[in-house]
Amino acid sequence: MRIKIWQKIITVFILIAHTTVSFAAVSSDTSLCIARGYTVGFFNGVWNTPSQAAAGAAAMARMMGHGFQNASNIFKGEPVQYEVFYNVTGCKSGTGAICVKLEDNVFSLEDVAESFIQRANEIDARRDLAKRGELVFEIISGDTALLDKLSHLYPALQNWKEQLITELKAKAAGTVANLASNPPTQADYVKHNTRLDALALQKQKLMLVAHSQGNLFVNQAYKYISPKIGSSSVAVVHIAPASTETHGKAWLASIDTVINVALRAAAPGNIVPVNAELTVDKFPFSSVDRSGHELVKTYLDVSRVARALIKDSITAAMNNLQTPTLQGNIGSFTITLTWDGAGDVDLHTFEPNNQHVYYSSRQGVVGYLDVDNTIAKGPEHYFASCDPNILQPGLYKVGLNNYSGATGRTATVQVATSVGGVVYERSLGVGAVRGSSGNSSPLPVVNVKVAKDTTGKFIFSVQ
Amino acid sequence: MNTAMENKSWMLWGLVASVVLTGCGGGGDEQPPSSSPTVKIEAFNDSLTVESGKAASVNLLTNDKWEGGSLNVADVMFVVVTSNLPPAVSVGASGLVSVASAAPEGTYSLGYRICQKTVASNCTSANATVVVSPPQAISVADALQKAEQSGAIPVLNRDNTISGVDTDNNGVRDDVDRYIQNLPDTTTQKSALTQASSALTVAMTVNTADQNAVVATSNAIAAAAVCVVSQYENPLEADKRHRDIEKITINTLERLKAYQRYSLAINGSSFVLPQEGACHEN
């Protein structure tokens, strides 16, 4: 360890001498990178599918004046990127990336479908109704256009539908309450956290917005990244929070029956107060909004009061955000390494010309190891040039080495492009301590392939 | 108008009728010049709902009043003022509305006037609504069949495959293509919805062990969402259409499970929304 620290001190001196040249060579103001600015991270609600989470984030972007019919994503002269921090509903806490099944009384989308099938078979002896998967989505969303037509023909379906909707609202609240009392662990958060590290290193201002169960995830995200970059560089707005823990403005409507009725019953005392601006007299019920809990239909509805209030609170929070001062850079692609405890794990990148970039040789031909951590958890960070004249097609071999003290740790490696976000992530054991003898043969993690398509556009993939 | 005149509304079979009453014992739209005594006549709105394929009738004058009591049809003149009734719905001179079994489904209305025979200018009027409803189902299965036959709900592929039948190889099931084409949306909106269904189909079939494929799928999902949201003026409409496409595409338990496999593959991950080029067809 001591030898390595001296090596690193010497390297820093060498790098200081090279800094001007190095950063000129990796100018950020080219087409391969989006300039520094804001990342609006959206943490999705209960039972949201990836598609619904994406649409929620897109609706929010549009509310902010971005992403709608050629509107540019600019705030205070800087670009805004919207990113979905996705969580499926029903994963057992601690299962992390290998979530396969839920706990008792916690309901995944698949279990909602099974409930639907059970109820459907109670009213339909021929079991035709149960085969209509589209009706599962109707029951969850409350937009029961197809079921209403069937109820018109067979009125007994009307009460059946209402009972099922009520049942599922209680299940949604029970799911969130269970999540609150058995919160996800670091194993569940690690990919989000590594991404937050990467964004912070690249000096992105972080605006985090959460809906429903997403509030449980955003709370840990805030607590993870805020001490690293300071509370002036990250802000949170909570929508329909499923917890009393908040780190920014929280919005809860009186008509939100999932939170105010079902969750209150399932987890008394876990409810934030309804905002005075969103009491029922100022926020009337809408016929297309059955639960009062939907992101778009309840809180972002253009005809109701919450939308402008939420927009104003996000705008105000973004106005106050300061650029993080961490040492790190944006890159056409970046590699971020974190691990789950003490020790020194090193990130190694072999560029296509076989230039080896690591703590002892931080300057590559294409990229640069701009963050090295020798104590605990990381991050370590490599960034490739944004300049298309410098970025080289070919394979970038990525490995890690347990230099010291990290035996038994799990590392997470994430590869992301500036424009497209995360393209690869993997959690793996760091292996045995190898010290500097592991430098020449680090544990292989992934190969990043950089290629050009027929138009000359760079394409990033992994092998 | 008489100063004692008052407006009143009656709720009758779910309809509200506004009828002008005079306070001087007589009734009608105008005071008669005749020397015959003017009586108070009142007409009330009527409604008749009949199941398609069945016949039914109602006399519009049955609930109308003569001096507050029953009205004798022989004492009044009955005139249809407005009507959009189909040929299979007839109206007799005595105010009898008859719906034949061949009457097409729909909601129809007519306005009528009754006048005191002896004082022709003493009139009052009301409206009637005739609803020919779809035939009631005797079971859920019957309701499903009837709704599909009438086009009230779409006929969807439910075979045991994930991708279903896609004869034109556009990445979207043929039945979903038909569903989208039947929407009253613009061409670009329909293209956005097709893109959304295509992305969902990819999500259901993606090899979740292939990270490049999973990332490409998330990018496709994100692009489609941004595209759909950008194509509708009202965000609520965009949200509804986007969710409708999802439910029509993910329409069996097997497809839901396949979609869930992809959802679990990206659990705890992140993906960005594209800033440009979200709509592939535009």
Side-chain angles (χ1 to χ4, degrees):
Chain A
M1 172 73 92
R2 184 170 293 172
I3 295 171
K4 186 184 178 190
I5 290 172
W6 276 110
Q7 283 179 333
K8 289 192 174 184
I9 291 171
I10 293 167
T11 304
V12 167
F13 280 118
I14 295 169
L15 287 170
I16 289 170
H18 285 291
T19 294
T20 305
V21 175
S22 302
F23 282 91
V26 290
S27 165
S28 301
D29 298 321
T30 60
S31 61
L32 297 180
C33 294
I34 294 176
R36 286 194 182 90
Y38 299 82
T39 291
V40 178
F42 173 63
F43 294 71
N44 62 280
V46 63
W47 290 332
N48 269 194
T49 64
S51 181
Q52 290 166 11
M60 197 170 64
R62 182 172 161 180
M63 175 186 75
M64 299 302 295
H66 298 146
F68 177 58
Q69 294 181 353
N70 301 322
S72 57
N73 292 18
I74 299 294
F75 185 84
K76 291 175 72 174
E78 294 184 346
V80 183
Q81 272 196 307
Y82 288 83
E83 185 155 345
V84 177
F85 286 74
Y86 183 71
N87 276 105
V88 80
T89 300
C91 285
K92 185 173 182 176
S93 296
T95 54
I98 52 168
C99 166
V100 288
K101 195 56 182 169
L102 53 151
E103 298 177 274
D104 291 342
N105 301 320
V106 182
F107 293 89
S108 68
L109 190 57
E110 198 173 312
D111 291 297
V112 172
E114 287 169 5
S115 293
F116 166 81
I117 290 167
Q118 185 183 344
R119 292 282 178 235
N121 288 341
E122 288 169 5
I123 196 171
D124 174 26
R126 286 184 53 178
R127 304 192 166 205
D128 285 343
L129 193 65
K131 296 173 186 168
R132 315 275 166 155
E134 64 270 30
L135 302 181
V136 175
F137 287 96
E138 287 212 339
I139 293 289
I140 291 173
S141 74
D143 180 2
T144 53
L146 301 179
L147 265 172
D148 290 347
K149 288 172 182 168
L150 292 171
S151 302
H152 192 55
L153 292 167
Y154 192 69
L157 278 171
Q158 181 67 24
N159 278 341
W160 175 86
K161 178 192 76 177
E162 295 299 332
Q163 284 174 5
L164 193 49
I165 287 174
T166 303
E167 220 174 90
L168 290 187
K169 271 192 221 172
K171 282 184 180 179
T175 299
V176 175
N178 191 299
L179 192 60
S181 56
N182 300 286
T185 66
Q186 285 304 312
D188 307 305
Y189 296 136
V190 66
K191 288 185 284 187
H192 282 178
N193 288 348
T194 303
R195 180 59 176 158
L196 291 168
D197 272 327
L199 292 167
L201 288 175
Q202 292 160 39
K203 300 186 178 65
Q204 286 290 100
K205 294 177 272 288
L206 301 176
M207 178 71 242
L208 309 180
V209 183
H211 171 236
S212 182
Q213 77 165 22
N215 288 282
L216 300 171
F217 291 91
V218 87
N219 283 338
Q220 77 77 30
Y222 181 84
K223 286 186 286 193
Y224 176 80
I225 202 65
S226 178
K228 296 186 174 193
I229 61 173
S231 58
S232 61
S233 296
V234 56
V236 181
V237 167
H238 304 269
I239 301 171
S243 157
T244 50
E245 179 184 337
T246 56
H247 298 281
K249 185 70 182 176
W251 293 105
L252 176 64
S254 63
I255 64 164
D256 190 327
T257 54
V258 170
I259 300 295
N260 289 311
V261 180
L263 184 57
R264 192 182 297 279
N270 236 357
I271 314 296
V272 300
V274 168
N275 303 91
E277 299 95 325
L278 301 183
T279 51
V280 69
D281 54 320
K282 297 166 188 157
F283 196 50
F285 193 83
S286 160
S287 61
V288 298
D289 176 20
R290 297 295 304 272
S291 69
H293 184 64
E294 298 273 333
L295 177 68
V296 177
K297 286 191 288 190
T298 306
Y299 290 94
L300 305 189
D301 180 350
V302 289
S303 68
R304 299 200 288 191
V305 64
R307 181 184 177 90
L309 295 168
I310 290 169
K311 180 183 177 182
D312 288 350
S313 56
I314 294 173
T315 303
M318 288 177 71
N319 263 321
N320 290 329
L321 285 176
Q322 304 295 314
T323 301
T325 56
L326 298 184
Q327 284 298 320
N329 294 274
I330 58 174
S332 54
F333 76 90
T334 57
I335 307 165
T336 308
L337 163 69
T338 61
W339 59 97
D340 60 352
D344 181 2
V345 184
D346 290 321
L347 175 64
H348 293 255
T349 305
F350 296 86
E351 296 179 340
N353 50 28
N354 221 25
Q355 178 74 32
H356 184 187
V357 181
Y358 67 117
Y359 69 87
S360 186
S361 176
R362 296 171 73 163
Q363 178 67 64
V365 173
V366 174
Y368 185 78
L369 183 77
D370 56 2
V371 181
D372 178 30
N373 182 303
T374 60
I375 302 170
K377 295 188 177 180
E380 301 219 350
H381 188 254
Y382 166 92
F383 72 101
S385 174
C386 296
D387 187 337
N389 297 313
I390 294 176
L391 181 65
Q392 293 181 358
L395 283 187
Y396 294 70
K397 298 173 184 170
V398 180
L400 63 80
N401 181 42
N402 176 3
Y403 187 90
S404 65
T407 302
R409 303 289 178 207
T410 297
T412 296
V413 176
Q414 204 169 63
V415 180
T417 67
S418 175
V419 175
V422 175
V423 296
Y424 174 83
E425 51 200 350
R426 178 183 174 193
S427 291
L428 70 165
V430 300
V433 171
R434 298 174 68 198
S436 57
S437 65
N439 288 345
S440 58
S441 57
L443 189 64
V445 177
V446 67
N447 294 334
V448 179
K449 183 180 179 183
V450 177
K452 283 185 176 180
D453 67 11
T454 52
T455 66
K457 181 183 171 188
F458 280 101
I459 305 293
F460 302 90
S461 61
V462 293
Q463 292 184 339
Chain B
M1 289 289 193
N2 191 299
T3 53
M5 189 181 300
E6 60 180 328
N7 289 316
K8 286 192 175 179
S9 296
W10 290 268
M11 184 69 80
L12 180 67
W13 298 332
L15 297 174
V16 176
S18 294
V19 179
V20 178
L21 299 180
T22 64
C24 57
D29 295 341
E30 297 175 22
Q31 290 302 314
S34 159
S35 59
S36 298
T38 301
V39 299
K40 177 182 175 183
I41 55 174
E42 301 165 86
F44 295 96
N45 287 352
D46 301 87
S47 174
L48 172 65
T49 297
V50 57
E51 198 177 313
S52 176
K54 294 181 178 174
S57 63
V58 63
N59 193 308
L60 303 180
L61 307 189
T62 302
N63 64 332
D64 295 345
K65 302 292 184 187
W66 178 279
E67 292 286 20
S70 297
L71 179 149
N72 186 344
V73 175
D75 293 334
V76 296
M77 291 181 296
F78 170 82
V79 180
V80 174
V81 180
T82 60
S83 168
N84 68 350
L85 298 177
V89 181
S90 61
V91 186
S94 64
L96 184 69
V97 174
S98 300
V99 181
S101 60
E105 291 174 20
T107 299
Y108 311 103
S109 60
L110 85 161
Y112 71 93
R113 183 169 62 226
I114 52 174
C115 301
Q116 183 182 347
K117 269 189 179 171
T118 55
V119 184
S121 58
N122 180 27
C123 302
T124 188
S125 55
N127 298 306
T129 302
V130 175
V131 177
V132 181
S133 66
Q136 290 289 292
I138 57 169
S139 66
V140 172
D142 190 30
L144 288 166
Q145 187 180 28
K146 284 183 163 66
E148 285 187 341
Q149 282 173 349
S150 69
I153 65 173
V155 178
L156 300 177
N157 171 288
R158 298 183 197 282
D159 65 26
N160 57 7
T161 68
I162 300 302
S163 300
V165 179
D166 177 19
T167 52
D168 61 355
N169 291 315
N170 69 340
V172 173
R173 291 199 324 260
D174 294 344
D175 54 308
V176 179
D177 277 333
R178 281 192 296 275
Y179 174 85
I180 292 171
Q181 287 314 312
N182 286 334
L183 293 173
D185 296 23
T186 67
T187 303
T188 52
Q189 287 168 341
K190 289 178 180 177
S191 292
L193 300 179
T194 301
Q195 184 178 331
S197 182
S198 174
L200 291 166
T201 304
V202 170
M204 289 187 289
T205 54
V206 68
N207 174 5
T208 54
D210 181 345
Q211 283 223 23
N212 289 325
V214 170
V215 167
T217 301
S218 296
N219 290 340
I221 292 267
V226 171
C227 181
V228 171
V229 168
S230 73
Q231 291 302 317
Y232 292 85
E233 194 64 38
N234 185 340
L236 283 187
E237 191 182 1
D239 187 62
K240 176 175 171 48
R241 283 285 192 259
H242 191 252
R243 282 180 177 246
D244 281 350
I245 289 302
E246 186 179 50
K247 76 183 181 190
I248 294 298
T249 305
I250 316 288
N251 70 323
T252 66
L253 186 60
E254 289 71 26
R255 288 168 187 160
L256 185 64
K257 286 179 176 175
Y259 189 29
Q260 189 79 340
R261 280 195 291 276
Y262 159 72
S263 302
L264 290 174
I266 66 162
N267 180 46
S269 298
S270 67
F271 56 92
V272 301
L273 302 187
Q275 296 207 22
E276 56 186 21
C279 294
H280 297 163
E281 297 293 325
N282 299 328

